[in-house]
Amino acid sequence: MNLHTARAALLILFISPICAAKNWTLDEALNRALEANPDASIAQASVDRAQAIAQQADSTLYPRISANLGYSQTDNPMMSFGNILNQGTFDNTINFNDPGRTDAFSAGVYLKYPIFTGGTAAAKRRSAENISDAAVLEREVAYNNLRMETIRSYFAIIQAKLLRKSILRTLDSLEENLRNAKALENEGKILKSERLNIEVRLLSAKQALLTAEHQLALSKTRFSNLLALDGGDDADADESVLKVACFKIPEEKEGRVRPEVSALEMRVESSKNNVDAQVGLYFPMVSIIGGYQYDKGWVRSGDNGSWNAGVVMEIPIFDGMLTRGKVMEAKSLETQMRQMLRKLELDLNYQKQSALLSEKNIREQTELAKAQVAQADESLKILSARFKEGAAMSVELLRAESAAAEARIKLDILRCSKNVAAAELRRSMGLDILGK
């Protein structure tokens, strides 16, 4: 080995561990998705927004306090006379028609506190609280959707890797059969067409391998996107997950209320409270008002303070049917939300029944596939031995080879689908997907 070859070998040994794709466990992948995927951040932002809206609605529990400052000069008789009175500098020498130029510096603090709003303020607070609760539940829905997408993507990688291994196994078997066929052809025990049949099948298997590797690369890219990683080569799934039961099959058949239903129930309640809020606009609004104002002028060298307090009632008389339209709109929204809830309950019930049947079907098919693989492998073993002795035709051997490969691929697909179906069943029943 020369110096350049040695350096290249050392460089490969050093770089390989760095470039190797990380083997993610299922728990690691799920945690990463919830931490880094934009969908999780969007769901959390929706919760924060809903809570901020609820906080705004709660502001009606407190009085409105404001302050203002201002300075001005004027020779307008009415305004100047007002300044003179506010500053406490009135005397009998003032000409009412021409009090002269005055200036005014004003500083005031004012309060307004609604004590009766016809139930509008309370209804809006309840509606905002309902929306906040719905956002929390919808965040859990988004998390569950993200968990399921991660689980599907995770097992899609494993399925693609198993498919690749199965095709490689088939290639090894076909190459061995091709070597046997060439030997038998040289001995004159089989025709050239028998060998060509195997070579054609071998080329087809190589094409299938290219397709499987392409599918594996796409699956890794999809998985990396879900985990918010840069590049599909950075993510891989751990096949050992198939050795254990990742998701416990629930014994109960009824399940629990799903967060989707609870969230929409909160929105129905919110729309109901919104109707009450709009109806409250028909009633008068009563508020306590008060304030203190300080006035000072330098032209007449005076200053004075004043206060006011009282109760104000605002009575709606005619608003061009605006309130009526708002009430009708709110009632229509409530009806819409109730029907959406009914539709969701029907859809989720169908999903649950479908998930139950799917999980049962896949579980039963898996047991049958295991027996099918054992029989296909045994048949292939017998025909391979007979072909090696020249007692079987290549067509029979290829048929057995194809049957064995299809059986192994079908079993690999079912093993992955079994886990996904179990996870989907748990979600459809409103249970924690991981069973924790």
Side-chain angles (χ1 to χ4, degrees):
M1 179 184 295
N2 59 36
L3 182 58
H4 293 291
T5 305
R7 287 178 177 174
L10 288 173
L11 184 61
I12 291 173
L13 289 173
F14 177 73
I15 293 177
S16 294
I18 299 176
C19 296
K22 178 180 177 180
N23 236 14
W24 292 79
T25 65
L26 184 56
D27 284 342
E28 289 175 341
L30 291 171
N31 291 334
R32 167 70 185 186
L34 294 180
E35 291 173 0
N37 191 280
D39 286 342
S41 300
I42 292 171
Q44 181 58 50
S46 297
V47 172
D48 295 339
R49 177 176 178 272
Q51 291 176 346
I53 292 174
Q55 185 177 8
Q56 294 175 42
D58 288 342
S59 68
T60 58
L61 295 171
Y62 304 95
R64 296 288 188 272
I65 300 175
S66 61
N68 63 29
L69 297 172
Y71 176 81
S72 63
Q73 292 191 19
T74 182
D75 62 356
N76 180 279
M78 182 176 292
M79 296 179 65
S80 287
F81 192 70
N83 289 338
I84 292 170
L85 293 176
N86 289 337
Q87 296 166 17
T89 59
F90 177 79
D91 58 48
N92 293 327
T93 63
I94 294 176
N95 183 353
F96 291 157
N97 294 319
D98 186 14
R101 181 179 65 88
T102 60
D103 67 341
F105 168 78
S106 298
V109 178
Y110 307 97
L111 175 146
K112 183 177 182 181
Y113 181 45
I115 57 176
F116 179 75
T117 61
T120 296
K124 285 185 175 180
R125 288 197 302 272
R126 293 195 302 270
S127 178
E129 289 172 2
N130 295 144
I131 291 176
S132 178
D133 293 339
V136 173
L137 291 164
E138 287 165 354
R139 177 183 61 186
E140 186 59 30
V141 173
Y143 285 176
N144 283 339
N145 291 338
L146 187 55
R147 289 186 184 105
M148 280 308 307
E149 286 299 314
T150 303
I151 290 169
R152 291 191 189 99
S153 181
Y154 191 87
F155 284 98
I157 292 177
I158 295 176
Q159 181 177 310
K161 290 168 72 174
L162 293 176
L163 175 62
R164 182 176 178 275
K165 286 183 178 180
S166 180
I167 294 174
L168 287 173
R169 180 177 173 181
T170 300
L171 282 172
D172 291 340
S173 178
L174 287 171
E175 287 171 351
E176 181 181 355
N177 291 332
L178 181 59
R179 288 191 293 270
N180 294 334
K182 288 179 178 179
L184 292 172
E185 183 184 3
N186 292 333
E187 295 174 5
K189 294 182 179 180
I190 63 172
L191 298 174
K192 180 180 180 181
S193 60
E194 300 286 327
R195 173 180 59 80
L196 292 176
N197 287 337
I198 297 177
E199 288 182 344
V200 170
R201 181 68 180 86
L202 181 61
L203 291 173
S204 298
K206 289 180 177 179
Q207 289 179 336
L209 178 61
L210 292 174
T211 302
E213 288 177 341
H214 176 68
Q215 184 61 42
L216 177 58
L218 286 178
S219 298
K220 287 184 177 182
T221 300
R222 169 63 177 159
F223 186 59
S224 294
N225 288 340
L226 283 170
L227 303 190
L229 301 174
D230 296 326
D233 292 335
D234 296 331
D236 203 352
D238 188 359
E239 296 176 51
S240 63
V241 73
L242 295 177
K243 298 178 181 178
V244 295
C246 299
F247 312 101
K248 182 180 178 182
I249 304 301
E251 297 179 359
E252 55 182 306
K253 299 303 179 185
E254 293 301 321
R256 303 171 188 171
V257 179
R258 289 183 58 169
E260 290 94 328
V261 174
S262 299
L264 201 48
E265 286 176 343
M266 286 292 100
R267 292 200 173 272
V268 169
E269 191 65 23
S270 173
S271 63
K272 178 182 177 182
N273 286 320
N274 188 44
V275 172
D276 294 338
Q278 302 308 320
V279 170
L281 297 176
Y282 284 118
F283 297 90
M285 185 175 75
V286 182
S287 303
I288 296 174
I289 62 169
Y292 176 82
Q293 181 172 312
Y294 172 76
D295 296 280
K296 180 176 176 59
W298 284 270
V299 173
R300 296 185 61 86
S301 300
D303 66 290
N304 196 14
S306 61
W307 61 269
N308 74 302
V311 178
V312 175
M313 178 182 289
E314 300 175 45
I315 304 174
I317 297 177
F318 180 73
D319 60 1
M321 302 299 179
L322 176 63
T323 300
R324 181 183 178 184
K326 289 182 177 180
V327 172
M328 292 176 62
E329 178 187 2
K331 288 182 177 180
S332 298
L333 178 61
E334 182 186 2
T335 301
Q336 181 183 3
M337 297 303 293
R338 291 188 183 281
Q339 293 304 314
M340 288 175 63
L341 176 60
R342 176 58 179 160
K343 181 177 183 297
L344 178 65
E345 289 173 338
L346 293 172
D347 290 343
L348 294 184
N349 182 62
Y350 171 76
Q351 287 182 19
K352 183 174 73 173
Q353 298 303 321
S354 177
L356 282 167
L357 293 173
S358 178
E359 190 280 328
K360 180 182 178 183
N361 180 49
I362 291 175
R363 181 160 31 90
E364 293 174 348
Q365 284 196 36
T366 300
E367 297 303 317
L368 294 174
K370 290 178 181 179
Q372 187 178 4
V373 168
Q375 293 174 358
D377 286 343
E378 183 64 22
S379 176
L380 177 60
K381 182 179 179 181
I382 293 172
L383 280 170
S384 294
R386 290 182 59 200
F387 181 77
K388 191 174 183 179
E389 297 172 356
M393 298 180 65
S394 63
V395 174
E396 296 176 296
L397 178 63
L398 293 175
R399 189 180 297 118
E401 187 72 58
S402 179
E406 289 178 3
R408 287 193 296 269
I409 291 172
K410 182 179 180 180
L411 179 59
D412 291 338
I413 292 174
L414 287 170
R415 289 170 67 195
C416 295
S417 299
K418 183 179 178 181
N419 284 280
V420 176
E424 189 61 59
L425 176 59
R426 293 191 64 85
R427 184 178 73 153
S428 70
M429 298 182 70
L431 304 174
D432 182 84
I433 293 178
L434 297 178
K436 296 180 180 179

